[in-house]
Structure formats: C-alpha cells, structure tokens
Amino acid sequence: MSGSEKIDWDAVLGFASESLDTQIKGTDEHKLSNKLYKTEEEIGRYVVDEKLDDIDRAIHLLRNGAAIQKHSVAGMLPRLLADRGAETKTRLLPVIASVVLSEQPEMQVSLGKGISAATEQGLLNGPPLSKFVSVARALMVKKDEEVAEKWSEVLLTIIGRLAPDVIEKEILPDLLLEEGLAQPSSVRLWRSKVIGVLAPNIMKLESHQKVFQKAITLCQDTDYEVRACTCRQLNALARAVGHARTVAELLPEYVELIMDEECVVRVAAIDNCMQLMEFFEPAVKAQTIIPVWKKLCEEQPPRILQCLARQLGLFLWETREQLPDADLRYFTNFYHSLSTSTYSDDETREMCAYNFPALVKCVATLPQGFESHRLDIAFEKMVSDPSRAVRRRLAAGLHDVAAALGPRAWPLLRAGFLKLFGDPDVEVYKQIYRHLGATLLEFVKCESVETQLEDVLFLILRRERECATYAARSNWRLHQDLLAQFQYFPDVFGLDLLHGHCVPLLFKTLHENVVLPIKQTIVACVCTFLKYAKRTEHRDRLYRHMYDLKDSPSYHVRLLFVELCAHVLTQYSSRFFRESFFTPLLDMVRDPVANVRLRVAPLLPEVRRQLRKAQDSAMQARVTDAIGALIADDDADVSAAAKALPAGDSSAAAARKAAGGFFGEFGFSRSADSVDGLREEEEQKALAMEWDAEEAARRREMDDARHEFAKQLAEKAIGKKGGKAAAVAAAVAGTTTTAPGSKSKPAASIVAGSARPKAVASVHVKGMEAERPTTSSGNSTLSLERRGAGSSGGSSSVTATSSSSNNSNNNSKPSPRAATALPTGNGSPEYGRRAARSASTGPVSAAFLASSTISDASTRLPGLRQANTSPRAIRSARVGAATTTTKASLAPMRRSQELLNHGFGGGSASSSTSWGMAPVARNAQTQPKTALKLSPLQRGGAAKEGGGSIEVVAPTRRTAAEKEAGSKSGFLVK
C-alpha cells in the first residue's frame, strides 16, 4: 500500500470508527459530545437572517424557531413594548395570541410571565389586553396545574386594567352567576380573587351593589379556603365603599370570621382587620376591636398565638389613645407571658421580639413604664433566648427601643446591648452593626454615659479587627456595615479617642484591605472625621494621612485620594476645597498611571464650578491647562474622557441663563451658592469654637501649672536656701516670710496673670484695650504696647509695665545693668543658659512671673490689623500666628516637676511645651523679633511694690560688658 492512498480504517478494524470513539471515550462522554457539537443541519435551524429587525425576528422565531429561541422572545417582550410599543402591539401580540394555545406547557408559562410582567409595568392596557381574555380563560382549564395557575394570575392582572365597560360585558356575567355550591371550590376561589381585583374601582361599575353582596355571600361559604381567601380581599373592598358602609355591613363579617372555627380563617381575618386599624374611627376601636382582642387573649387558642404575637404591637400602637391603664396592663401582661413562657414556641417568641419596640413606645410616656410593665424582665429573657431567630429580631429593633426610651436608654439597655453585640452568632451581631450609629446616638443622651462609652469604643474596635482578620474574604459586607457606622462616632465619642484610636485604625485598614467597597466606606468616614476635627493637631494629622495617599507608590491608593477629593467636593465648601485639596488634585493630572488620570478627568468640571469668584481666575486657568493636558494625553481613553467634558464657556453660559446675575456669571446657581455659603459659615464657626476652647484650656493649664510651681518652689527654697530664698519663694506665693523676731509685712504680689479674681490686666495694642483677669493681690495692671514700623520710633517693640494700686516705690531707679536685651525664642542658646542660671542662682524676677500674661498677650500681637480688632479678626490673627499649643495630657504636677528639673522653658526650638513664654510662631521669619528689657529685683529680700517695669524691644547686638552685666543680674528671663 502506497503512502498516498487513504486507509479504510472501518474495513481494517472490522467496525465503524464511531463505535471506536464510543469505546475510547465512554458512553457518557460520547453523549455529552453529541450534545455539545451539533451537525450543520442542526446549526442551520438556529441561523436567522441578520437583515431582520427585532419585530420581524421575534415573529420568525415564534413561528419557526427552536424552543430556546421562543423563550428568548417571551423574555424580551417587555423591552420590545418599551422601545417599539405601537408596532409590537399591532404585529407581535396577535402572533403570540395565535400560537400560545398550541405551544408546549413550558412555553405557555414563559409567555404568560412575559405578558404579566409587561402589564404590571404599565406597558399593556386597553384594547390589546382584551385579546388575551379569551386566551387566558382557555388556558385556565388546562390539565397542567402550572399553566392554569399562571394564566389565572395573568387574567387577574388584565382585569385590573380593563375599561369598566369591558368588565361589565366580559367579566361580571361570569362573576355574578348564581350557581351556589354547585360550582367547584376552585371556581369560587377564583371569583373571590376577582372581587379583590375589582374592589378599588368597584364604585365605577353599574353593578357595584351586586358585587358587594357577592363578597358577603363568599364570606359565608362552606369551604374554609374560600372564606379565608375572601377575608384577604375585604381590606380593598372596605376602603372602596367607605367607612360607614364598612362598619355597618363588613365589620360584623370581620368579627364572625375572627371567631371562625378554622384557624386559617381566623388568622386571615385578624391580619386583614389589623390592616384597617388606621381606617377605623376611635369609637369603633373602643367599642368593637378592643373587646374582640381581649376575648382572644382570654381564650389563648394555641394555633393562633403566633398570629396574636405578630399583630399585638400594631394593635396596641393604634389603640394607645383608647386603651385605659387597666387594659394596657392586661395586654402587656399577656405579652410578658408569651415572651417569657417556656411553653411558647420559637416562632411566637420571635414575633414577641419583633413587636418589642412597639410595646416600649406605648409605655415610654408613662412614668417608669418600662419597669412597671415588666418589659425589662422580658428584655433580659429575650436577650438570653436560646433561639437565634429571637435574638436576631431583638437586635434588629434595638435602635428603635433606644429611641423610644431616650435619656434612660443607656442604663436600661446597657447590659443587653453589650450581650447582643458580643453574641457569637453572626446573624445576631450583624443586626447590631447595621444600626450601631443610631443606637449610640440615643445612648449618648444619658448624662452619666460619657465615662462608660470608652469601653464601648474599644469593644467596637476589637470587633472591627476580628472582621478584618476573619471575614475579609468570606463576609466583607459585614465589615463594611461596621465601618459605615464610624461616621456617627464624632457625635458620640471624644475627639481625642477618635483621633487617637479610630483614625490610625481606619488608615491601617485602608492600606491593608483589598476590598474596594470597604476602602470607599473608609474614605467617606475620614471625610466626616475631618469635618468634625476641632483641634489643629487633629486636622494636621488627618491632612498628613490624606496627603500620604496621594504620594503612595501604589496607584490603587492614589485612586483613593481622588475618591477622597470627590467626597470633599460634595461635603465641604468651595473655599475649603480650594485651600486644602485644589493643588494636590491637579497634581494627579500628571500621574504616571492612566487609570488615575482617567479618574481625575470627570472631577475637573466640578472643580471649575467651585471657582466662582473673580479672584479665582488664576485657578480657573490652571484647571483649563489641566484639561488641555488630559486632552493631549498619550492614552486614548484619558484623551477621549477629557474631550467629552463640557466646555467651560458653554457651561458658564448655561448657568448664567439658569441663574442670572452675579451667580450665573461664574457658573454657580443661587441655590448652590447659598448651600456653599452655609457650609463655609459652619466651617468658620467650628474654627472659632476651636480657638476659643483651646485658649480657655491653655489658660487653665497655665494657671494650674503656675500655682503648682509656686508652691513647689517655695517648699524647695525653704528647704535648701534658707531665709533669703524663702523670702523670694514666699513672694511668688503671694506672702512674705520674715526672720524670727521681725514683724510680718505684706509683700507686693508680682505674679501677673494667675487666677485671683479681682485683679485686671489691661493690654494695649495700638489703641486697642482688652481686660483680662490676673492673680495679683490688689489691682495690678500689666500694660503692653506694640509699636509697629509706622510708629515714631521706627522699630517694632512691645512695652509692658507692671504697677500696683498701692505703689509706694515709684521713684526707685533701676540699676545700670537693668536694660538687657535677650532674644525671646525658646530655641536661643543664650536664652537657655540665662534661664537655667536665673532659676538656680538668683531670686525670681517679675519678668518670669508676668511672662505668662505677656505670653497670652503676645500670641495676639503677630498679624493683627490696626483697623480691625473684632474677636473674629483676633481669631484670624491667631491663625496667622500659628502658635504652638501645650500638651493637655500632662497633669499640673508633672508640668511643675519638669519646670523644676529643666528650668523655665530653656529647651530646644523643637520643644512643644514652653511655660510662661510667647509660643514660637510657625511663620516666625515673617514676624518682628522682640526681646524683653527688665528692671532687676532688689537682692536679699522680697520684691518691692511697683518696683519693676518690663519692656520688650527689638534685639540689638550687645557688647561684652552688657553680656557680663546681664549674666550677673538677678533676672529670670522668659
């Protein structure tokens, strides 16, 4: 046999090659391959001409297509009606009505679903529907139950949208046919459902009286299923005929059905009657509904206890104004027996937990109503219930219970809340997570809760770590639900706790977690925290974390920064965005990753709309340049997205046309501008409150530290220095120590700025005078005067003079070495040496003792304008000065000990704690440098009254003699 001849393997092997495939693959695999791989003939049956439009293709498939193709036509029927309704109704619906009767049952069900869905969406009504009435009736008598049930639903849906005249002609004759019990129960059931469909429009029918009587007749049917079905239709019928006719004719039927011998009928009647509670008048509730409920509770029929437990909350809430106290206690006792009894099944106790918020709302207005009606006992029982479903229902409504109890929620619900929060079942504590913020907002209304919520926060953070560790992949939605509640925390917990524990944890999760929805939730929470940050250090820490996102090497993290900017654009004022995030966002236009640039592009039009003021023209130009850079981007997607952005001129013109006037000129509507103004005003108020709070706290801390230091200094001086140092220390404390045998003599107080109530220090700043309390015994006055470059002296200086009302030594002259100029910065080496030497060797001068007041005043001096001395301008000057703040966490004892050990603030320039000194401004290079000139104290005794003056002048280069004289003086320079 030559190599070119084809081998007949069938003849060689003795059997067909197909059988060989079967032997090699196996029978099952061979059958599977036959299903997967079709012949050309089979493939040809599925081929449709591409030139056909949607309607022609659907008609072709209904007539000639395979079963799967016909199912696709049934599924796309609502879309065809929505897109091409008129053509579909005239061409496709007649084809469906003609072929549906001959199709297979599966296809009949599928077409019924498509027609029912289109009718419910309002795409089919009027004459096209009337074509399917006869089709539906024919299919309802099919032997296939699924087909009959589906087309029965289709017919009910169609009847509700037919015109009244069509109903009168085609539906009512069969409905009102009087055949009594001769008809099968299925027909009577269907007629009962038809009455429910016709009920909303029954008064439009001419035969509405006959339809109403037919409903009354079906309520008394011998088949309990017919009676139960009719009960479910009475609600719509009662609202259609009105309250008077309902009370007169339908209410007796309700009562009779509630007392029916069949539990199914009783449950249906109770449920339907409760839906009408808001419809009934108060007299009907008091005279009929309440007595019926009392009778049911007395009987306690075991098979409807679950129904009573489910409807008890609604019943009590709707009848709360008609229930006397005795009846209310009767029903709450019944509830208590259902919720705590060991004989109640799990479903009944679950319904009790479901209605617990309604019971609490009913008794919350009564004094001690929660305890007197024993709801606290029921709550404890349900919290520890062995059924997971009971605990889950209780946890889902706990926030409503807390809202009803108000300020008493925390002491009453604390133990139960902690137990449910720590429940081992995920379905239980998941419900707590979803409403955790609302629950905590109610708890915080209690006055005594502040000291206890810290433990709750740590419990929440521990749960968050558990979710991040164990549920990051399998149940990340639970983790997201918990993190979403962090946005409520600024209103619940202290800001120090939040920024000390929550903020680091959120950013840690932001960098470690891989689930994008969790990261987006964290970004939203961080924006909320920034909005409520009232301390500069907190805001600075948040800014630092946010800018770290922008500089991250991972482009996923940089995308989160863009997401954060999008949140800021929607939640904050335009001024805040311009000052904090405008430049960082525009820098992202040059990001090396195209996905980042693609995400930045849609935000630029919104950024441009934020720049609505005339002085923002430079920023508008930068945005335009950024959009131009994105249009010229090398990446096609980025360039296309930038080209699709609205042009600046057209958007501005549209805004001018919509808003008009000034607001429209810059692309900002009146409503948007008013919202932005409100946001900016809120931010300014928060900033002002922050500065006021920080200043008050700083003053309190300095006063406490000053008193504690004076006390310790006196004790140390008495123990080590003897009489001389003791006299100085006593002068600091406000008293004079005398040698034995000498007469005690009151000393002039040289402590300017401590906390004694009657002294007043006047601060003069360019004509501005502000009074503030000091601690001098007597009416000591400290006056400061700042002379700027425009003054006659030509140099910036501050003069401070300390005087007393009983000054007896005004003529005393200072020593020649009194005027010694020293730099005021706490980083100056000369300052540190002199301060330490003065603290250890010489008596305490009035400079240090008045330095705290000078410091308080000097923090107001940098950046103040001459023409504006309002409190708001002063706060703005403080922002410009950016003074360092003291550490609030140190106790006064520790502060005093540090002062004793390290001198009076003679640390390095990086030190953040400086007592009795004007804090160093961040922009110190732009502020005029000042120095103190002090009059020395008399050596060997206490300070004389009014004996010194303090002057702050510009620093000058000193001679060696002046330095030596200054080093030998008894000053303590601060």
PDB file of all heavy atoms in Angstrom, residues 655-675:
ATOM      1  N   ALA A 655     -25.288  78.310  32.915  1.00  0.00           N
ATOM      2  CA  ALA A 655     -25.521  78.712  34.300  1.00  0.00           C
ATOM      3  C   ALA A 655     -26.039  80.145  34.375  1.00  0.00           C
ATOM      4  O   ALA A 655     -26.914  80.462  35.172  1.00  0.00           O
ATOM      5  CB  ALA A 655     -24.233  78.568  35.111  1.00  0.00           C
ATOM      6  N   ARG A 656     -25.497  81.023  33.513  1.00  0.00           N
ATOM      7  CA  ARG A 656     -25.995  82.396  33.504  1.00  0.00           C
ATOM      8  C   ARG A 656     -27.452  82.457  33.087  1.00  0.00           C
ATOM      9  O   ARG A 656     -28.251  83.208  33.635  1.00  0.00           O
ATOM     10  CB  ARG A 656     -25.144  83.256  32.545  1.00  0.00           C
ATOM     11  CG  ARG A 656     -23.826  83.694  33.087  1.00  0.00           C
ATOM     12  CD  ARG A 656     -23.249  84.809  32.241  1.00  0.00           C
ATOM     13  NE  ARG A 656     -23.056  84.401  30.858  1.00  0.00           N
ATOM     14  CZ  ARG A 656     -21.947  83.850  30.392  1.00  0.00           C
ATOM     15  NH1 ARG A 656     -20.933  83.645  31.220  1.00  0.00           N
ATOM     16  NH2 ARG A 656     -21.841  83.502  29.127  1.00  0.00           N
ATOM     17  N   LYS A 657     -27.783  81.609  32.110  1.00  0.00           N
ATOM     18  CA  LYS A 657     -29.171  81.601  31.654  1.00  0.00           C
ATOM     19  C   LYS A 657     -30.100  81.074  32.727  1.00  0.00           C
ATOM     20  O   LYS A 657     -31.231  81.544  32.891  1.00  0.00           O
ATOM     21  CB  LYS A 657     -29.281  80.736  30.397  1.00  0.00           C
ATOM     22  CG  LYS A 657     -30.673  80.740  29.777  1.00  0.00           C
ATOM     23  CD  LYS A 657     -30.675  79.927  28.489  1.00  0.00           C
ATOM     24  CE  LYS A 657     -32.061  79.934  27.869  1.00  0.00           C
ATOM     25  NZ  LYS A 657     -32.092  79.136  26.611  1.00  0.00           N
ATOM     26  N   ALA A 658     -29.615  80.056  33.504  1.00  0.00           N
ATOM     27  CA  ALA A 658     -30.464  79.465  34.543  1.00  0.00           C
ATOM     28  C   ALA A 658     -30.552  80.347  35.776  1.00  0.00           C
ATOM     29  O   ALA A 658     -31.616  80.487  36.384  1.00  0.00           O
ATOM     30  CB  ALA A 658     -29.924  78.091  34.929  1.00  0.00           C
ATOM     31  N   ALA A 659     -29.421  80.948  36.190  1.00  0.00           N
ATOM     32  CA  ALA A 659     -29.392  81.690  37.452  1.00  0.00           C
ATOM     33  C   ALA A 659     -29.465  83.189  37.225  1.00  0.00           C
ATOM     34  O   ALA A 659     -30.182  83.909  37.913  1.00  0.00           O
ATOM     35  CB  ALA A 659     -28.122  81.346  38.233  1.00  0.00           C
ATOM     36  N   GLY A 660     -28.706  83.683  36.255  1.00  0.00           N
ATOM     37  CA  GLY A 660     -28.694  85.113  36.007  1.00  0.00           C
ATOM     38  C   GLY A 660     -27.882  85.862  37.038  1.00  0.00           C
ATOM     39  O   GLY A 660     -27.575  85.370  38.116  1.00  0.00           O
ATOM     40  N   GLY A 661     -27.478  87.096  36.687  1.00  0.00           N
ATOM     41  CA  GLY A 661     -26.799  87.937  37.650  1.00  0.00           C
ATOM     42  C   GLY A 661     -25.409  87.445  37.982  1.00  0.00           C
ATOM     43  O   GLY A 661     -24.740  86.748  37.220  1.00  0.00           O
ATOM     44  N   PHE A 662     -24.984  87.827  39.152  1.00  0.00           N
ATOM     45  CA  PHE A 662     -23.617  87.529  39.584  1.00  0.00           C
ATOM     46  C   PHE A 662     -23.375  86.033  39.693  1.00  0.00           C
ATOM     47  O   PHE A 662     -22.333  85.526  39.314  1.00  0.00           O
ATOM     48  CB  PHE A 662     -23.347  88.212  40.917  1.00  0.00           C
ATOM     49  CG  PHE A 662     -22.039  87.805  41.542  1.00  0.00           C
ATOM     50  CD1 PHE A 662     -20.860  88.379  41.122  1.00  0.00           C
ATOM     51  CD2 PHE A 662     -21.996  86.829  42.530  1.00  0.00           C
ATOM     52  CE1 PHE A 662     -19.657  88.013  41.689  1.00  0.00           C
ATOM     53  CE2 PHE A 662     -20.803  86.460  43.095  1.00  0.00           C
ATOM     54  CZ  PHE A 662     -19.633  87.056  42.676  1.00  0.00           C
ATOM     55  N   PHE A 663     -24.349  85.297  40.234  1.00  0.00           N
ATOM     56  CA  PHE A 663     -24.145  83.883  40.469  1.00  0.00           C
ATOM     57  C   PHE A 663     -23.980  83.147  39.146  1.00  0.00           C
ATOM     58  O   PHE A 663     -23.173  82.241  39.031  1.00  0.00           O
ATOM     59  CB  PHE A 663     -25.329  83.305  41.255  1.00  0.00           C
ATOM     60  CG  PHE A 663     -25.477  83.913  42.603  1.00  0.00           C
ATOM     61  CD1 PHE A 663     -26.370  84.938  42.832  1.00  0.00           C
ATOM     62  CD2 PHE A 663     -24.694  83.477  43.646  1.00  0.00           C
ATOM     63  CE1 PHE A 663     -26.504  85.496  44.079  1.00  0.00           C
ATOM     64  CE2 PHE A 663     -24.816  84.035  44.903  1.00  0.00           C
ATOM     65  CZ  PHE A 663     -25.727  85.057  45.123  1.00  0.00           C
ATOM     66  N   GLY A 664     -24.797  83.505  38.158  1.00  0.00           N
ATOM     67  CA  GLY A 664     -24.680  82.831  36.878  1.00  0.00           C
ATOM     68  C   GLY A 664     -23.409  83.181  36.142  1.00  0.00           C
ATOM     69  O   GLY A 664     -22.923  82.417  35.333  1.00  0.00           O
ATOM     70  N   GLU A 665     -22.851  84.330  36.409  1.00  0.00           N
ATOM     71  CA  GLU A 665     -21.660  84.764  35.682  1.00  0.00           C
ATOM     72  C   GLU A 665     -20.496  83.812  35.899  1.00  0.00           C
ATOM     73  O   GLU A 665     -19.680  83.618  35.020  1.00  0.00           O
ATOM     74  CB  GLU A 665     -21.295  86.180  36.128  1.00  0.00           C
ATOM     75  CG  GLU A 665     -20.092  86.747  35.384  1.00  0.00           C
ATOM     76  CD  GLU A 665     -19.775  88.142  35.846  1.00  0.00           C
ATOM     77  OE1 GLU A 665     -20.556  88.681  36.677  1.00  0.00           O
ATOM     78  OE2 GLU A 665     -18.765  88.685  35.381  1.00  0.00           O
ATOM     79  N   PHE A 666     -20.432  83.211  37.044  1.00  0.00           N
ATOM     80  CA  PHE A 666     -19.330  82.317  37.335  1.00  0.00           C
ATOM     81  C   PHE A 666     -19.786  80.872  37.401  1.00  0.00           C
ATOM     82  O   PHE A 666     -19.133  80.044  38.021  1.00  0.00           O
ATOM     83  CB  PHE A 666     -18.659  82.716  38.654  1.00  0.00           C
ATOM     84  CG  PHE A 666     -18.072  84.087  38.596  1.00  0.00           C
ATOM     85  CD1 PHE A 666     -18.760  85.163  39.122  1.00  0.00           C
ATOM     86  CD2 PHE A 666     -16.861  84.301  37.983  1.00  0.00           C
ATOM     87  CE1 PHE A 666     -18.221  86.433  39.056  1.00  0.00           C
ATOM     88  CE2 PHE A 666     -16.314  85.567  37.916  1.00  0.00           C
ATOM     89  CZ  PHE A 666     -16.997  86.649  38.446  1.00  0.00           C
ATOM     90  N   GLY A 667     -20.889  80.541  36.817  1.00  0.00           N
ATOM     91  CA  GLY A 667     -21.294  79.152  36.716  1.00  0.00           C
ATOM     92  C   GLY A 667     -21.803  78.571  38.006  1.00  0.00           C
ATOM     93  O   GLY A 667     -21.641  77.387  38.235  1.00  0.00           O
ATOM     94  N   PHE A 668     -22.390  79.364  38.858  1.00  0.00           N
ATOM     95  CA  PHE A 668     -22.866  78.856  40.147  1.00  0.00           C
ATOM     96  C   PHE A 668     -24.294  79.340  40.348  1.00  0.00           C
ATOM     97  O   PHE A 668     -24.549  80.540  40.299  1.00  0.00           O
ATOM     98  CB  PHE A 668     -21.973  79.385  41.276  1.00  0.00           C
ATOM     99  CG  PHE A 668     -21.568  78.346  42.253  1.00  0.00           C
ATOM    100  CD1 PHE A 668     -20.746  77.312  41.862  1.00  0.00           C
ATOM    101  CD2 PHE A 668     -21.995  78.396  43.566  1.00  0.00           C
ATOM    102  CE1 PHE A 668     -20.346  76.362  42.766  1.00  0.00           C
ATOM    103  CE2 PHE A 668     -21.606  77.443  44.473  1.00  0.00           C
ATOM    104  CZ  PHE A 668     -20.769  76.426  44.060  1.00  0.00           C
ATOM    105  N   SER A 669     -25.232  78.449  40.555  1.00  0.00           N
ATOM    106  CA  SER A 669     -26.627  78.845  40.726  1.00  0.00           C
ATOM    107  C   SER A 669     -26.831  79.458  42.102  1.00  0.00           C
ATOM    108  O   SER A 669     -26.005  79.321  42.992  1.00  0.00           O
ATOM    109  CB  SER A 669     -27.534  77.633  40.545  1.00  0.00           C
ATOM    110  OG  SER A 669     -27.299  76.699  41.568  1.00  0.00           O
ATOM    111  N   ARG A 670     -27.979  80.119  42.256  1.00  0.00           N
ATOM    112  CA  ARG A 670     -28.268  80.753  43.540  1.00  0.00           C
ATOM    113  C   ARG A 670     -28.382  79.725  44.650  1.00  0.00           C
ATOM    114  O   ARG A 670     -27.859  79.914  45.746  1.00  0.00           O
ATOM    115  CB  ARG A 670     -29.555  81.556  43.426  1.00  0.00           C
ATOM    116  CG  ARG A 670     -29.467  82.746  42.483  1.00  0.00           C
ATOM    117  CD  ARG A 670     -30.784  83.489  42.412  1.00  0.00           C
ATOM    118  NE  ARG A 670     -30.759  84.550  41.430  1.00  0.00           N
ATOM    119  CZ  ARG A 670     -30.340  85.780  41.675  1.00  0.00           C
ATOM    120  NH1 ARG A 670     -29.912  86.098  42.867  1.00  0.00           N
ATOM    121  NH2 ARG A 670     -30.349  86.698  40.720  1.00  0.00           N
ATOM    122  N   SER A 671     -29.069  78.635  44.372  1.00  0.00           N
ATOM    123  CA  SER A 671     -29.231  77.630  45.415  1.00  0.00           C
ATOM    124  C   SER A 671     -27.899  77.005  45.781  1.00  0.00           C
ATOM    125  O   SER A 671     -27.595  76.802  46.963  1.00  0.00           O
ATOM    126  CB  SER A 671     -30.214  76.552  44.942  1.00  0.00           C
ATOM    127  OG  SER A 671     -29.732  75.933  43.753  1.00  0.00           O
ATOM    128  N   ALA A 672     -27.070  76.700  44.783  1.00  0.00           N
ATOM    129  CA  ALA A 672     -25.760  76.113  45.068  1.00  0.00           C
ATOM    130  C   ALA A 672     -24.886  77.089  45.837  1.00  0.00           C
ATOM    131  O   ALA A 672     -24.146  76.693  46.747  1.00  0.00           O
ATOM    132  CB  ALA A 672     -25.074  75.694  43.765  1.00  0.00           C
ATOM    133  N   ASP A 673     -24.959  78.368  45.497  1.00  0.00           N
ATOM    134  CA  ASP A 673     -24.157  79.360  46.209  1.00  0.00           C
ATOM    135  C   ASP A 673     -24.613  79.501  47.656  1.00  0.00           C
ATOM    136  O   ASP A 673     -23.778  79.651  48.555  1.00  0.00           O
ATOM    137  CB  ASP A 673     -24.258  80.708  45.495  1.00  0.00           C
ATOM    138  CG  ASP A 673     -23.307  81.729  46.080  1.00  0.00           C
ATOM    139  OD1 ASP A 673     -22.129  81.699  45.709  1.00  0.00           O
ATOM    140  OD2 ASP A 673     -23.756  82.537  46.922  1.00  0.00           O
ATOM    141  N   SER A 674     -25.914  79.447  47.894  1.00  0.00           N
ATOM    142  CA  SER A 674     -26.398  79.552  49.269  1.00  0.00           C
ATOM    143  C   SER A 674     -25.977  78.352  50.096  1.00  0.00           C
ATOM    144  O   SER A 674     -25.575  78.493  51.256  1.00  0.00           O
ATOM    145  CB  SER A 674     -27.925  79.699  49.278  1.00  0.00           C
ATOM    146  OG  SER A 674     -28.530  78.563  48.676  1.00  0.00           O
ATOM    147  N   VAL A 675     -26.031  77.168  49.501  1.00  0.00           N
ATOM    148  CA  VAL A 675     -25.576  75.966  50.211  1.00  0.00           C
ATOM    149  C   VAL A 675     -24.096  76.065  50.518  1.00  0.00           C
ATOM    150  O   VAL A 675     -23.636  75.742  51.626  1.00  0.00           O
ATOM    151  CB  VAL A 675     -25.883  74.711  49.375  1.00  0.00           C
ATOM    152  CG1 VAL A 675     -25.231  73.488  49.999  1.00  0.00           C
ATOM    153  CG2 VAL A 675     -27.381  74.499  49.272  1.00  0.00           C
TER     154      VAL A 675
END
